[in-house]
Amino acid sequence: MKIWTSEHIFNHSWESVTGGQWQKYPNPHNQAVIGTDVLERKVENGVLYSNRIISSDWGLADWVQKLIGANKVCYAHEYSMVNPEERVMEMRSRNLSFNNFVNMEETMTYRPHPEHTDKTIMKQETIVTVQGVPLTSYMESIIVNTVSNNSNKGKAAMDWIVEKLGQECSALSISSSLDKIKQEILDLKHTVAGSLIQPARQSIEDLQARVQVDLQKLGHSIAQPVMLKAEDISSTKSL
């Protein structure tokens, strides 16, 4: 049996790291995990519990796969707990594939940094036990090295997804701000148009009124032209 432990500090808040954990796959840094399937998810007393099946490619050499009878795609069961009140996230996983020969138990815990609230501490422990095959200790060392390499890739992937989500949030915020500015400009155009049209309309009406008064003084009116009746037209013709 071999035990591998690691501790890492992310330069991101606990909320950002735990939120990114659910959207970490796929990513360009750690391509070992090729799929996740949620079996169950529930909330009890404000705590989120999840059960997932993780599909991954361990990247073992062909001769190792033949020795332990492993397929290229391996499966593991992951159980996780997120307690937002205590600000702790714990993830436990155990391999399902070729567990007659290899047992892997991994625990990952995320907590806020005690001194820097904008940082998160991740503690990881993996226990590897190989049995029933030749070169047991050597096989355990190979698997532990693989776990270590994938862990480094996983840290890079976490930084990547947190930054990606941050950029998406910023883009949405900028887009929303631009939409708001566009609407304010349209409202301003309507307001300006209204403030210009109303005085112009009043000026035209005043001008029309003055013209009407002037015409009345001359003995005319612009209301309607004089209409001749039929009998008036007949008498005019007879003359």
Side-chain angles (χ1 to χ4, degrees):
M1 180 179 69
K2 292 188 181 299
I3 301 176
W4 180 84
T5 60
S6 174
E7 183 173 311
H8 180 74
I9 297 177
F10 291 103
N11 293 320
H12 311 289
S13 66
W14 181 82
E15 288 78 9
S16 297
V17 172
T18 53
Q21 179 66 43
W22 302 114
Q23 304 182 59
K24 190 168 66 174
Y25 305 108
N27 65 78
H29 297 280
N30 182 11
Q31 300 181 4
V33 176
I34 58 180
T36 59
D37 295 285
V38 178
L39 299 179
E40 181 185 20
R41 182 164 288 168
K42 61 183 178 180
V43 176
E44 292 183 355
N45 300 321
V47 180
L48 174 64
Y49 298 95
S50 300
N51 284 286
R52 300 193 298 177
I53 296 295
I54 310 298
S55 306
S56 60
D57 180 0
W58 281 17
L60 297 175
D62 292 339
W63 68 270
V64 176
Q65 296 184 36
K66 292 179 181 179
L67 184 63
I68 62 178
N71 296 321
K72 184 175 181 61
V73 178
C74 305
Y75 301 95
H77 175 253
E78 177 194 82
Y79 172 81
S80 64
M81 177 275 297
V82 183
N83 189 328
E85 183 176 353
E86 297 184 4
R87 303 184 75 190
V88 58
M89 179 180 190
E90 184 176 272
M91 308 180 76
R92 297 178 178 270
S93 62
R94 177 193 293 267
N95 64 295
L96 299 176
S97 300
F98 53 92
N99 52 14
N100 291 334
F101 305 102
V102 180
N103 287 320
M104 289 182 55
E105 297 181 5
E106 181 182 70
T107 303
M108 301 176 68
T109 305
Y110 298 87
R111 295 179 183 274
H113 194 286
E115 299 177 359
H116 304 282
T117 57
D118 59 338
K119 297 182 179 181
T120 303
I121 296 180
M122 180 198 73
K123 294 183 178 181
Q124 183 177 3
E125 179 184 83
T126 303
I127 301 175
V128 179
T129 304
V130 178
Q131 57 187 2
V133 296
L135 306 173
T136 298
S137 180
Y138 179 64
M139 290 286 296
E140 290 175 345
S141 297
I142 291 177
I143 294 175
V144 166
N145 289 336
T146 302
V147 170
S148 177
N149 291 332
N150 287 339
S151 175
N152 292 330
K153 295 176 182 178
K155 296 168 187 175
M158 179 61 74
D159 287 330
W160 175 81
I161 188 60
V162 171
E163 292 176 2
K164 181 174 181 290
L165 293 176
Q167 291 172 358
E168 290 177 354
C169 290
S170 298
L172 290 174
S173 178
I174 293 174
S175 177
S176 177
S177 298
L178 291 176
D179 290 340
K180 184 178 180 180
I181 292 173
K182 287 171 63 178
Q183 185 59 47
E184 290 177 350
I185 291 174
L186 289 175
D187 294 340
L188 180 61
K189 287 174 63 178
H190 293 319
T191 302
V192 172
S195 63
L196 293 176
I197 292 173
Q198 184 61 32
R201 181 180 298 167
Q202 186 64 44
S203 298
I204 293 173
E205 292 176 353
D206 292 343
L207 180 60
Q208 288 177 332
R210 288 198 298 271
V211 170
Q212 181 72 20
V213 171
D214 292 341
L215 290 176
Q216 288 177 350
K217 289 180 179 180
L218 295 173
H220 297 281
S221 175
I222 64 171
Q224 290 292 336
V226 178
M227 301 296 294
L228 295 177
K229 296 181 180 180
E231 53 271 20
D232 294 335
I233 296 175
S234 300
S235 61
T236 302
K237 289 182 179 181
S238 62
L239 294 176

